[in-house]
Amino acid sequence: GAEREVVPGELAAPLAAGEQVVTLAKPFVAASLALGGSITTEYIAERGKEVRGDVRYTNNLPSRIQDVQIAVRLSGAILDETKVKPERGFYNSSTNTIVWDKSAIPNFADLAAGASGVLTFSLASLPIEQGNFTNPEINLEVTVTGRRINESNVPETVEAKGVATIVVSTDLMLNSAIGGTVGPVPPAADQDTTYIINWVANNNTNDVANASASAVLPSYVSWGGTSDPSVSFNAVGGIITWNIGDLNAGTARNTSFQVTLTPSVSQVGNNVTIISDQRIYGFDRFARKQLERALPSLSTSQAVVQ
């Protein structure tokens, strides 16, 4: 399918009137849900990371509205109920609903014509160590209700609804370690020390397409080769590339290669970088998002004396 596009700041999903008890020409309260600062029907979040939500509301009627209540109902197995935190409102964990009413927002008892405001909350998905989920989402449904007095002086209940989804992206990781050495450890001046670098690519939640990893060798480190045909080296820029390919949820893949350091006298005794700018890339098929994660450099201090 086509890649989902989210345009920051675009009023893509104002919560239009729907299932109203009373049909009005336009929503009695214009309400829009922003996730991570953007008004959108879909937001992509990292696993376990906090997401800020804002509900902006305005009374569109030329008259007051009494007993306004705004509720955000949350659903999805990956929702971390302990991380739902409304500002001023009340979170009912048994129904997974955040409610703002006149007890929390006093002017909701009698909302003036044209009155507006913003209600803020935060939530998060469960962290990686708390279970595996396939194609995880958190769904949000916003409901606004209130009462108005019509032209015949009869109270009417009015309602508006809207929905949004948080899509949780996979955590694509690269683990990098020195698996062995040939030569002096710690390095000695003008003597070769060869390091075996082990890379492991891990993917936990959603299938990933076109995964790859890369790193850069410093000018004083030379490429030592590999038996893995999916790993290549470009002497221009000293770039190592691992073409991983598709990596399904819950799977891992590994490779190894060798690099050689011949330190100068000035480098001996110091912690010398062997491989830098390590990164892993991939396309999350479920979130339809390009992923990238950087790792710290590997250095001579991380080698164990054999």
Side-chain angles (χ1 to χ4, degrees):
E3 187 169 342
R4 297 168 178 161
E5 294 184 3
V6 175
V7 180
E10 180 178 329
L11 218 66
L15 305 185
E19 300 180 21
Q20 291 181 318
V21 178
V22 174
T23 302
L24 302 176
K26 67 176 181 176
F28 75 102
V29 172
S32 57
L33 177 64
L35 295 169
S38 297
I39 296 174
T40 176
T41 53
E42 185 172 281
Y43 180 81
I44 299 170
E46 291 183 38
R47 180 87 185 259
K49 295 292 178 67
E50 182 179 284
V51 177
R52 174 183 169 130
D54 296 286
V55 179
R56 180 177 294 277
Y57 62 88
T58 303
N59 178 5
N60 277 332
L61 295 179
S63 57
R64 294 177 174 275
I65 302 174
Q66 282 79 44
D67 295 330
V68 173
Q69 178 178 289
I70 296 179
V72 177
R73 184 174 179 276
L74 309 171
S75 60
I78 202 169
L79 173 69
D80 188 343
E81 296 181 11
T82 67
K83 295 292 173 61
V84 180
K85 297 174 183 175
E87 196 176 279
R88 297 188 289 170
F90 171 72
Y91 174 57
N92 184 335
S93 58
S94 64
T95 60
N96 286 340
T97 304
I98 304 169
V99 176
W100 293 271
D101 56 21
K102 60 187 177 184
S103 64
I105 315 293
N107 69 343
F108 276 12
D110 191 22
L111 190 64
S116 64
V118 177
L119 307 170
T120 300
F121 63 96
S122 62
L123 75 163
S125 55
L126 289 165
I128 294 167
E129 57 270 17
Q130 292 192 36
N132 294 322
F133 297 84
T134 302
N135 298 349
E137 294 181 337
I138 298 172
N139 296 300
L140 302 90
E141 181 183 51
V142 184
T143 304
V144 187
T145 57
R147 292 185 304 109
R148 69 158 188 166
I149 306 299
N150 68 10
E151 294 76 8
S152 305
N153 224 26
V154 177
E156 297 175 331
T157 300
V158 285
E159 181 178 281
K161 287 190 176 185
V163 294
T165 300
I166 296 173
V167 176
V168 181
S169 64
T170 195
D171 207 19
L172 181 64
M173 296 175 288
L174 180 68
N175 298 316
S176 176
I178 297 171
T181 55
V182 178
V185 175
D190 301 321
Q191 292 188 51
D192 289 352
T193 299
T194 296
Y195 298 87
I196 300 168
I197 310 298
N198 291 333
W199 273 355
V200 180
N202 282 293
N203 178 33
N204 60 17
T205 306
N206 308 326
D207 291 348
V208 166
N210 302 322
S212 65
S214 65
V216 175
L217 291 186
S219 59
Y220 50 82
V221 177
S222 60
W223 173 245
T226 179
S227 59
D228 187 343
S230 65
V231 178
S232 60
F233 177 70
N234 188 340
V236 179
I239 299 171
I240 303 165
T241 302
W242 179 23
N243 182 16
I244 303 167
D246 292 350
L247 194 60
N248 290 337
T251 63
R253 202 165 298 161
N254 65 283
T255 193
S256 63
F257 52 88
Q258 297 183 11
V259 298
T260 299
L261 168 67
T262 309
S264 63
V265 173
S266 65
Q267 290 176 312
V268 172
N270 296 323
N271 187 24
V272 179
T273 297
I274 304 169
I275 181 172
S276 65
D277 200 22
Q278 301 182 98
R279 296 176 184 273
I280 188 166
Y281 311 86
F283 183 75
D284 187 321
R285 290 186 182 275
F286 176 63
R288 298 206 270 274
K289 175 190 177 186
Q290 189 66 33
L291 308 171
E292 177 181 346
R293 172 165 292 201
L295 283 78
S297 300
L298 277 182
S299 61
T300 53
S301 66
Q302 291 160 274
V304 178
V305 177
Q306 302 297 299

